[in-house]
Amino acid sequence: MTAALILGGGAPNLTLMSGALTAFKERNAQFSAISASGAGMLVALLYAAPKLTDPEDPAFALRNTRNMGVVDPINVWFPFNYKVFQKPGVLADWYRKALNPFLNRLPQTTFAEQWANDLAWFAAAAISPSDLWPLSGGLSAPAPWIEDVVDFAQLKKTGPDFYINAYNLDKQEMRTFERHEIEARHFRAGLAFPFIYPPFKLEHKGEESNYIEGSAVDTFNFEELFEKFEIHKDKKVLKESKVEIKKGIKRLVVFDIIGRKRLLHAPTNLYDAWVQSIMVPLVAMARDDLRIFEDKYKKKHGVEVDRIEFDEDKIDWKNALSWSRSNLEALFDIGYAAGREFCGRSPYLFEPEAESSDARPDLRVVPKAW
């Protein structure tokens, strides 16, 4: 294969990406490399190394991202996603270890079950202990659920080249992590968006530094991937400049949601105003990053950029950043349709035997609990 998949930030729009990748998974699309940042890291990891599996559905973990949402009756009055963003602190960690295994077993097949599940999570979140105080570096614990949904050991064994990034605040530089070294701590470093999560401390070469989300600084990580990433071999680090992701890459398949101007709107409440304050600079940066790459690096590295296009008119843009179940499910369906359309016009993604396969699970099968 000569294609690399690039996934940028965009929570809670991540189900647009997971929907598209579900279509890729069903058709057995092949990539030489996958690079992700921000929320795209979670979708990419669920695509490459899911821990939640179903032998009858290869894309089960990706479909399950819809269960990250909160039922609309609760979300209307409490729009903060307490299932994803959980309270920080040592006591909160112990509390989760004792309680979450039971919460994760609650069924979510029907709306009544989803309502009961999300209400139970709400009650658990409300009484959870916390060490949050004015001198805390962020509101939430750093993704305490990631080991439950991603098999990092499996990621190291097989699959395409895989990259995620995080920004080193102390050295003011981006770091790109490769498949053989990626663990939960690297994911947490790459997801540490300021204020939502505190900077994540990560050790490298015996030195500990503070890291934040890579997509907050470089949305798609194009430059780092093509020019500055480190190649690790037998514990010896060789630094090279102007290195391609992998020799032979001819195309970059890019899913861009965070660069859409229609994400921006007049806020409806204080929470929405806070979300918009995050999105305004990110939207501008994402648009600039993609434009710069297409103008500069496309010619420099001889690669084509293929965008996964989705039907923007089907999105409720004023609620596109909501964590409601209805929004996540709608975005998933739109992303899935975009993925199928992209597969139909991109024969280079498939081996000959995979290209003729048309077996697709029923999209309407409701996944188990997240």
Side-chain angles (χ1 to χ4, degrees), residues 40 42 52 55 72 77 93 97 126 131 159 186 194 285 288 290 298:
L42 176 59
L52 300 174
D72 292 40
W77 298 104
D93 289 338
K97 289 178 182 178
D131 67 358
H186 298 101
M285 184 171 64
D288 289 344
L290 195 53
K298 177 178 175 179

Side-chain angles (χ1 to χ4, degrees), residues 273-290:
W274 171 58
V275 173
Q276 286 293 301
S277 73
I278 296 172
M279 294 307 301
V280 168
L282 290 181
V283 168
M285 184 171 64
R287 292 174 64 84
D288 289 344
D289 284 352
L290 195 53

Side-chain angles (χ1 to χ4, degrees), residues 97-111:
K97 289 178 182 178
L99 189 61
N100 284 11
F102 299 98
L103 294 174
N104 285 329
R105 294 192 186 102
L106 295 175
Q108 300 185 67
T109 303
T110 66
F111 177 75

